[in-house]
Amino acid sequence: MNIEKSRRAFAEASKIMPGGVNSPVRAFKNVGGDPLFIKKGKGQYITDIDDNTYIDYVMSWGPLILGHADDHVIHALQTAAERGTSYGAPTELETQLAELVQKIVPSMEMMRMVSSGTEATMSAIRLARGFTHRDKIVKFIGNYHGHSDSLLVDAGSGMATFGINTSPGVPAEFAYDTYTVPYNDVAAISELFANHGDEIACIIVEPVAGNMGVIPGTLEFLKTLRQLTTDNGALLIFDEVMSGFRAGYHGVQGLTGITPDLTTLGKVIGGGLPVGSFGGRQDIMEQITPSGRIYHAGTLSGNPLAMTAGITTIDQLDPEQYVAMDRKVTRLVDGIKAMADKHHVPVTVHHVGTMWSYFFNAGPVNNFADVQQSDVAFFAKFYWQLLAQGIYTAPSQYETNFLSTKHTDYDIDRTIAGFDAAFDATLAED
Ligand SMILES: *Cc1c(COP(=O)(O)O)cnc(C)c1O
């Protein structure tokens, strides 16, 4: 595999951007070696600047549920761009996207559009604090909710990849106001509420965790969160920035029937452009400026290009596609498990809807401590063998892989065969 141009591009980028990247996991540190620089993508494929083409399961870390450069999305964007890229005034597109989202995620009685998942969760937390007049929040170890101060404690994704508990620069008071509890631990969260229930503004949770690999929240766990928050006057926030339009058409709230007070979305709802959203109960959302006093704003919030990509993406989705994608992902992870078994490599595979991951770990994997038992050294070596087979997956044991509507059964077969070959090659190295 020739990646000379990527190597040179990374060296150049590293002179002007810290670590050579604009978001840490992109730097491939968890798997060693230099990251691939990408020049184009189409459908399920991406091509790097050395002209290697891969089946892509990163999908821009989730947003591209229709794959790269979907014809309808690109056409709609071209048309929209000719009318101007931003006005800083209301457009009908914002209402259109909000109505589309609300039809599919009905608990979002009202919502606001923002430009990233980080902004969505940060704003939802402020809203929960302002609404309840309480400061404390609860999050789960290994869940990631973007990089705002209150939420950068025991977080997943890049924080997990680089083994950081909290970031320098986050004032101690912020960490002090954030309680962290192990994921899927009903006893621990119940005990916290027994002792501090009347101080807690909200629980924020990834109802299917995706930032420590895929780990589904158990139904018992999620029901407990709903009950504890209701009983104690706290709000329940489902952070579905990743799981929205991914775990299922209606998100995890659709799969479980559990209704949060607030929901945050991002990734898919922007169709590859920068969009996030937070919303929920009308009586809570109306507390936001200018109808209420809790501040939220954004120069590019509801940007017409971003709204257009979101609308055109969601318009093309329907529940049947999720059945088809789920079937393919099931076949894929079953195939991966079979190949690992054939090579006597301990593996645990998880998937929910279009999200999937493989842990080099005999399992069970139900929380962050379990993920940490995975063989990350094997993961790193295996990762490069998988790339050599033309398969581009998330370059960290603590991240999720994604399917798009464009991946075919043939891609799944090729990927399973690629895993087989990559196991062979990795074990031959030892
Ligand atoms: C990606 C993600 C975020 C942050 O979104 P950004 O757009 O990267 O700011 C927040 N929460 C969850 C669950 C995510 O997966």
Side-chain angles (χ1 to χ4, degrees):
M1 200 173 68
N2 177 6
I3 54 168
E4 261 324 297
K5 284 185 184 166
S6 279
R7 287 221 168 95
R8 283 202 297 273
F10 187 56
E12 200 59 30
S14 299
K15 292 183 204 159
I16 195 146
M17 288 179 285
V21 290
N22 282 310
S23 193
V25 186
R26 290 182 200 168
F28 272 43
K29 285 275 187 296
N30 202 232
V31 292
D34 294 343
L36 305 179
F37 276 58
I38 305 303
K39 73 171 177 194
K40 64 179 180 188
K42 186 68 187 170
Q44 67 275 53
Y45 301 116
I46 51 165
T47 302
D48 68 19
I49 59 177
D50 291 285
D51 279 322
N52 303 300
T53 294
Y54 308 85
I55 305 176
D56 181 15
Y57 291 102
V58 178
M59 288 290 141
S60 186
W61 303 93
L64 302 179
I65 193 143
L66 301 174
H68 295 273
D70 173 78
D71 290 341
H72 296 291
V73 173
I74 298 305
H75 179 74
L77 280 173
Q78 284 166 341
T79 308
E82 282 170 10
R83 297 191 194 115
T85 55
S86 184
Y87 319 115
T91 63
E92 292 173 302
L93 295 168
E94 294 154 82
T95 314
Q96 224 179 315
L97 180 59
E99 285 175 353
L100 260 180
V101 169
Q102 195 210 41
K103 223 178 270 168
I104 300 165
V105 188
S107 74
M108 296 174 82
E109 295 170 1
M110 296 188 100
M111 74 190 79
R112 269 282 166 90
M113 296 295 168
V114 295
S115 301
S116 69
T118 294
E119 253 190 290
T121 55
M122 178 186 83
S123 310
I125 293 287
R126 182 181 306 134
L127 177 58
R129 283 175 162 155
F131 183 80
T132 58
H133 304 287
R134 298 171 179 180
D135 289 341
K136 301 277 190 202
I137 64 168
V138 182
K139 73 174 289 293
F140 296 94
I141 299 167
N143 279 195
Y144 177 71
H145 306 291
H147 66 93
S148 73
D149 285 344
S150 303
L151 293 166
L152 265 193
V153 186
D154 289 334
S157 187
M159 296 276 282
T161 297
F162 301 111
I164 307 167
N165 288 98
T166 184
S167 169
V170 174
E173 297 81 59
F174 284 92
Y176 173 80
D177 279 334
T178 304
Y179 289 119
T180 63
V181 178
Y183 195 66
N184 276 330
D185 191 333
V186 169
I189 189 70
S190 301
E191 190 185 318
L192 178 67
F193 268 80
N195 294 324
H196 301 284
D198 58 352
E199 303 162 29
I200 293 169
C202 65
I203 294 178
I204 185 165
V205 63
E206 287 184 72
V208 166
N211 287 287
M212 47 180 169
V214 179
I215 302 184
T218 67
L219 196 56
E220 185 201 5
F221 174 65
L222 297 175
K223 279 184 176 162
T224 302
L225 305 186
R226 180 65 281 180
Q227 196 61 47
L228 288 170
T229 44
T230 302
D231 291 349
N232 289 275
L235 301 184
L236 179 60
I237 304 173
F238 272 9
D239 180 0
E240 299 223 53
V241 168
M242 186 187 291
S243 61
F245 297 91
R246 274 281 170 204
Y249 184 60
H250 304 281
V252 183
Q253 48 198 286
L255 293 176
T256 60
I258 297 172
T259 305
D261 301 298
L262 296 174
T263 298
T264 53
L265 295 174
K267 299 197 167 109
V268 169
I269 66 159
L273 267 77
V275 182
S277 172
F278 66 103
R281 271 169 45 193
Q282 182 169 349
D283 62 315
I284 304 173
M285 289 301 291
E286 279 181 336
Q287 303 304 312
I288 292 174
T289 47
S291 55
R293 299 186 53 235
I294 301 171
Y295 199 71
H296 166 258
T299 301
L300 291 173
S301 287
N303 171 270
L305 288 188
M307 295 299 101
T308 298
I311 292 164
T312 317
T313 297
I314 294 178
D315 247 345
Q316 294 186 66
L317 297 171
D318 63 52
E320 279 96 89
Q321 288 172 316
Y322 284 81
V323 175
M325 286 189 282
D326 190 285
R327 185 186 53 75
K328 285 177 199 160
V329 174
T330 303
R331 211 161 67 71
L332 175 58
V333 296
D334 287 351
I336 291 171
K337 175 83 174 105
M339 291 308 137
D341 288 351
K342 173 179 156 191
H343 293 280
H344 308 288
V345 175
V347 77
T348 298
V349 293
H350 283 173
H351 90 282
V352 181
T354 66
M355 299 164 58
W356 61 275
S357 59
Y358 56 99
F359 303 95
F360 289 124
N361 185 323
V365 181
N366 292 321
N367 59 35
F368 188 67
D370 294 341
V371 183
Q372 285 181 306
Q373 301 305 311
S374 305
D375 188 345
V376 290
F378 188 83
F379 182 93
K381 280 188 284 185
F382 183 79
Y383 185 80
W384 288 98
Q385 295 299 346
L386 212 47
L387 271 185
Q389 295 297 321
I391 298 164
Y392 187 76
T393 55
S396 165
Q397 183 72 93
Y398 295 94
E399 299 287 354
T400 290
N401 299 291
F402 301 96
L403 204 80
S404 74
T405 55
K406 301 296 194 299
H407 289 86
T408 63
D409 275 307
Y410 174 64
D411 294 319
I412 303 297
D413 290 334
R414 277 178 55 200
T415 304
I416 295 169
F419 268 77
D420 190 13
F423 278 124
D424 256 336
T426 310
L427 293 168
E429 271 179 49
D430 288 335

